[in-house]
Amino acid sequence: MKLPEQMKRLGVIVGLFLVVVITRFFLLPESWISARPHQAAKVVREMAKPVHYAGMMTCRQCHQEEFDAKLAGYHRTIGCENCHGPAAAHVANKDDKAATPPKHREREFCLGCHGYLSSRPNGFPQVDGQAHNKGKRCVSCHDPHDPKPDEAPKDCGGCHGLIARTKAVSTHSQLPCTDCHQVPELHTTDPRSHLPTKPETREACARCHDTASTDPAAAKARVDSASHGRTYACWECHYAHLPEGPK
Ligand code: HEC
Ligand code: HEC
Ligand code: HEC
Ligand code: HEC
Ligand code: HEC
Ligand code: HEC
Ligand code: HEC
Ligand code: HEC
C-alpha cells in the first residue's frame, strides 16, 4: 500500500515529538532537568569550603577588654576581623602562633579609611597623610580600639573644614553657623544620630535681607523677598556659605 505524501511528513513530525518526549522524561538523568539536585549540590559544595571568619562575638570570649573598649568608642561599627583579617583558624587553635592574627600598625592601613578623599561623606573624620603627624605611627597616639582626638572638636570647622573655610572668606563670614543651624549638643560627639537643622523657608534668609528687615549688618544687601527669585528657595541660587558666588 502506498501512503499519501502528507501522511509520511506527519509521521516524521509525530516521530520527532515522541523522541523528544521519551528523551525528556525517560532518558535524561534528573540532574539535567531539575534545579533541585543542583541546589542541594551547591549547599554541600559551599559547606565543604573552609570557614575563614569567626565573627566579632567569638573574639569577646577571650579579648573582653578590646571588645568593650571598641563597643563604647568611635570604631564600634567596625568588626574585629575588618582590621585583623579572618581569624577562624586563630579561634580554633589560639596557641597556633602561625595563625595569630596580624596587627596592622603601619600608617597606610589607617589611611585606607581615613586618608583624605573628597568623595567621602561630609563629616567623616579624614586626615591628610602627608601633613598629619608624618613619620609617626597612628597607633602611637590613637588607640585603635578606642580612637579619639583628645577631645571632640568644639569648633564646627573641626569636622566641616571645607564649609568653615569657605564661609570665612565670604560676605557671611561674620555670621555664626548657629545663626542658620540649630545644633543639638550631642552633635559634636555623636554627629550622625543628632543632626542639626537646616533652613527650610525663604524667611530664614529674608529676616536679614528683605527690604523690610532692620538687620543693620545686611543693610547693603536688601531684596524684595516677595518677588526676588520667585518661589525658589534662596539657596537654590545662592550658596549660603558663599552667597556672592565664586569669584
Ligand atoms: C579561645 C580564646 C581566643 C579567642 C576566641 C580569640 N583569641 Fe585572639 N588570642 C588569644 C590568645 C591566648 C592570644 C595570644 C597568643 C599569642 O600571643 O600568640 C591571642 C592573640 C590575638 C592577637 C595578637 C595579639 C598580639 O599581641 O600579638 C590578636 C590580634 C587577636 N588575638 C585577635 C583576635 C580576634 C580578632 C578574635 C576573634 C575573631 C580572637 N582573637 C579570638 C585567644 C583568643
Ligand atoms: C580599626 C582597626 C582595629 C579594630 C576594629 C580592632 N583592632 Fe585590635 N588592634 C588593631 C591594631 C592596629 C593593633 C596594634 C596596636 C599596637 O600595637 O599598638 C591591635 C591590637 C590588638 C590586640 C593585641 C593587644 C593590644 O591591645 O595591643 C588584640 C588582642 C586585639 N587587637 C584584638 C581585637 C579585638 C578582639 C577586636 C574586636 C573587638 C579588635 N582588635 C578590633 C586594630 C584594630
Ligand atoms: C574600615 C575602616 C576604618 C579603619 C581601617 C580605621 N578606621 Fe578609624 N574610623 C572609622 C569609622 C567608621 C569611624 C567613625 C566615624 C564617625 O563616627 O563618623 C572612625 C573613627 C576614628 C577616629 C575618631 C575621629 C573623630 O574625631 O571622630 C579616629 C581618631 C580614628 N578612627 C583613627 C583610626 C586609626 C588610628 C586607625 C588605624 C589603626 C583607624 N582609625 C582605622 C573607620 C576606620
Ligand atoms: C603625634 C600623635 C598623632 C599621630 C601620630 C596621629 N594622630 Fe591623628 N590626631 C592626633 C590629635 C592630637 C588629633 C586631634 C587634633 C587634630 O585634629 O589635629 C588627631 C585627630 C585625628 C583624627 C580626627 C580628625 C577629625 O577631623 O576629626 C583622625 C581621623 C586621625 N587623627 C587619624 C590619624 C591617622 C589615620 C594617623 C596615622 C596616619 C594619625 N591620626 C596619626 C594625634 C595624632
Ligand atoms: C565631630 C564632628 C562634627 C562636629 C564637631 C560638627 N559636625 Fe556637623 N556633621 C557631622 C557629621 C558626621 C554629619 C553627618 C554628615 C552626613 O550624614 O552626610 C554632620 C552633619 C551636619 C549638618 C547637615 C545636617 C543634614 O541634615 O544634612 C549640619 C547643618 C551640620 N552638621 C552643622 C554643624 C554645625 C553648625 C556644627 C558646629 C556647631 C557642627 N556641625 C559640628 C560631624 C560634625
Ligand atoms: C546664612 C545661613 C547659614 C550659615 C551662617 C551657615 N549655613 Fe550651613 N547651610 C545653610 C543652608 C541654607 C544650607 C542648605 C540647606 C539645604 O540644602 O536644604 C546649609 C547646609 C549645610 C550643611 C549640609 C551640607 C551642605 O553643604 O549642604 C552643613 C554640613 C552645613 N550647612 C554646615 C554649616 C557650618 C559648619 C556652618 C558654619 C561654619 C554653616 N553651615 C553656616 C545655611 C547656613
Ligand atoms: C543674620 C543675618 C543674615 C542671614 C540670616 C542671612 N544673611 Fe546673607 N548676608 C548677611 C550680611 C551681614 C551680608 C553682608 C552684606 C554686605 O556685604 O555688606 C550678607 C550677604 C549676602 C549676600 C551677598 C550679596 C553680595 O553679593 O554682596 C547674599 C546673596 C546673601 N547674603 C544671601 C543670603 C541667603 C541665601 C541667606 C539664607 C540662607 C542669607 N543670606 C541669610 C546677613 C544675613
Ligand atoms: C532664581 C534664583 C534666585 C533666587 C531663588 C534668589 N536669588 Fe537672590 N539673586 C539672584 C541673582 C541672579 C542676583 C544678582 C542679580 C540681582 O541683583 O538681581 C541676586 C542678588 C541677591 C542679593 C544681592 C542684592 C544686592 O543688592 O547686591 C541678595 C542679598 C539676595 N539675592 C538675596 C536673596 C534671598 C534672601 C533670597 C530668598 C528670599 C534670594 N536671593 C533668592 C538670584 C536669586
Side-chain angles (χ1 to χ4, degrees):
M1 193 184 75
K2 195 172 181 296
L3 279 175
E5 186 62 22
Q6 61 268 44
M7 285 304 283
K8 280 194 204 151
R9 291 188 192 150
L10 198 62
V12 169
I13 290 171
V14 170
L16 274 177
F17 178 72
L18 284 176
V19 168
V20 168
V21 168
I22 290 167
T23 315
R24 164 70 177 76
F25 289 101
F26 299 100
L27 296 182
L28 287 184
E30 163 130 19
S31 65
W32 282 36
I33 301 155
S34 161
R36 258 176 290 135
H38 277 291
Q39 284 161 353
K42 204 170 209 163
V43 170
V44 172
R45 206 164 59 225
E46 290 299 316
M47 282 177 61
K49 285 186 181 166
V51 173
H52 294 295
Y53 288 89
M56 192 152 76
M57 288 305 160
T58 329
C59 318
R60 181 186 200 171
Q61 292 164 18
C62 306
H63 301 292
Q64 183 82 38
E65 201 183 306
E66 284 81 10
F67 184 91
D68 290 345
K70 194 178 76 63
L71 197 64
Y74 281 99
H75 274 168
R76 61 183 164 279
T77 52
I78 308 173
C80 312
E81 290 163 292
N82 275 10
C83 291
H84 290 294
H90 166 62
V91 169
N93 181 3
K94 63 181 162 53
D95 300 319
D96 178 2
K97 293 282 178 214
T100 302
K103 299 184 288 185
H104 292 288
R105 308 177 73 224
E106 62 280 9
R107 286 172 68 88
E108 287 65 34
F109 176 72
C110 310
L111 290 172
C113 287
H114 289 293
Y116 181 76
L117 262 188
S118 54
S119 56
R120 293 207 207 277
N122 171 22
F124 184 82
Q126 303 174 46
V127 294
D128 176 357
Q130 293 301 319
H132 187 75
N133 303 301
K134 200 170 187 284
K136 296 200 190 99
R137 284 181 165 162
C138 316
V139 290
S140 65
C141 297
H142 301 285
D143 178 351
H145 305 126
D146 186 15
K148 45 177 176 265
D150 294 345
E151 46 184 304
K154 293 189 195 70
D155 212 26
C156 313
C159 299
H160 300 290
L162 187 59
I163 292 176
R165 285 193 298 277
T166 305
K167 191 179 79 64
V169 296
S170 81
T171 45
H172 274 170
S173 60
Q174 299 308 311
L175 271 51
C177 309
T178 46
D179 255 15
C180 301
H181 300 288
Q182 281 163 341
V183 186
E185 203 162 320
L186 286 172
H187 179 65
T188 50
T189 45
D190 190 4
R192 277 170 227 281
S193 312
H194 304 272
L195 287 175
T197 61
K198 292 189 286 189
E200 281 173 1
T201 62
R202 289 163 57 87
E203 175 51 33
C205 312
R207 72 188 160 96
C208 292
H209 288 296
D210 188 68
T211 39
S213 162
T214 53
D215 185 278
K220 282 189 274 162
R222 297 266 200 260
V223 291
D224 174 16
S225 68
S227 59
H228 176 81
R230 292 185 283 167
T231 53
Y232 296 103
C234 312
W235 47 91
E236 284 181 87
C237 298
H238 305 285
Y239 183 49
H241 310 129
L242 186 65
E244 62 273 36
K247 287 262 148 49

